[in-house]
Amino acid sequence: MDQAEVRAALAALALARGESLAALSRLIGRNAAYLQQFVTRGSPRALHEQDRRVLAAYLGVAEAVLGAPISAPATGALVRVPRIDAVALTGPGGLLEGDRALAGEAIDPALLRQWGVEPASLSIITARGESMLPTIADGDDMWVDRADVQPSARGGIYVVRLAAGLVVKRLVPRGGGLLVTSDNPDFPPFVADPEMEVIGRVVRLTRLLR
């Protein structure tokens, strides 16, 4: 495949997924300008095999789209991350609709290893509401690591279960407890009560462009 076509395909795939070339560069362990230079300047002349494999798995395309020879071996078995039939509100609380696993998405397990996530611990849950804007928007898919339920000192974004249902908030350890905050300043923080259950940490977001 001509490298000009590869560069155009990568730019189009990034746009369609709502991903910046800088973010994709960091995904493959490169500096933020790496893929921008590849797309606009043709430097490097072609994607490295490992970079191509990770990008193809992440973007959900065959490696040949990103310049692999047609005779190149397959990338290996993908793992499917289930989508849970539940809604996590970024506002005051959402109702858990059930634990049925829906279609989900397939992903290269090598990518999950880079994230430090076990496939069996990962689920996809949809976010609703506006309290976590601009980080998380209504309708975003959140990839949740259910094995990570202990916020570190720097905190993180977690799905938690309150009396009203599931919510997604930023949790920060504070004075032996947890401070629950929203990224939208219109929503005040509060201290978690002992009944709050941490479901898992949000490790990835995907957003459908409209």
Side-chain angles (χ1 to χ4, degrees):
M1 187 175 186
D2 181 83
Q3 288 301 309
E5 295 179 61
V6 172
R7 294 194 296 270
L10 178 59
L13 286 166
L15 180 62
R17 285 288 298 267
E19 299 277 6
S20 69
L21 292 174
L24 293 177
S25 296
R26 290 190 289 269
L27 174 71
I28 59 176
R30 303 285 187 171
N31 68 70
Y34 185 78
L35 290 178
Q36 182 69 36
Q37 292 175 346
F38 170 68
V39 168
T40 60
R41 302 179 186 177
S43 177
R45 294 184 63 183
L47 293 172
H48 186 274
E49 180 180 351
Q50 173 66 13
D51 295 341
R52 185 180 64 219
R53 186 178 65 82
V54 173
L55 286 169
Y58 181 75
L59 295 169
V61 298
E63 283 191 57
V65 174
L66 298 180
I70 300 300
S71 59
T75 59
L78 301 180
V79 296
R80 184 163 293 280
V81 179
R83 180 185 300 277
I84 301 302
D85 188 16
V87 172
L89 292 198
T90 61
L95 296 177
L96 181 63
E97 297 177 352
D99 290 326
R100 293 188 299 114
L102 304 179
E105 293 189 33
I107 191 168
D108 190 334
L111 191 57
L112 298 185
R113 288 193 292 272
Q114 290 183 15
W115 300 352
V117 176
E118 291 294 330
S121 301
L122 202 58
S123 300
I124 301 173
I125 301 176
T126 301
R128 297 295 182 207
E130 299 180 348
S131 76
M132 287 299 289
L133 288 173
T135 309
I136 301 177
D138 184 84
D140 283 357
D141 282 339
M142 303 178 296
W143 295 51
V144 180
D145 180 8
R146 303 187 314 278
D148 188 345
V149 295
Q150 295 290 337
S152 65
R154 67 179 183 178
I157 298 176
Y158 287 79
V159 173
V160 302
R161 191 193 309 273
L162 302 177
L166 296 182
V167 299
V168 53
K169 294 293 180 186
R170 195 175 294 276
L171 303 184
V172 181
R174 184 70 55 85
L178 289 173
L179 182 66
V180 183
T181 67
S182 302
D183 286 5
N184 185 336
D186 292 338
F187 294 78
F190 60 91
V191 176
D193 63 51
E195 301 301 317
M196 187 183 79
E197 177 189 1
V198 180
I199 302 299
R201 182 173 64 90
V202 178
V203 297
R204 177 188 181 189
L205 296 172
T206 55
R207 180 173 300 168
L208 179 65
L209 295 180
R210 295 177 174 83

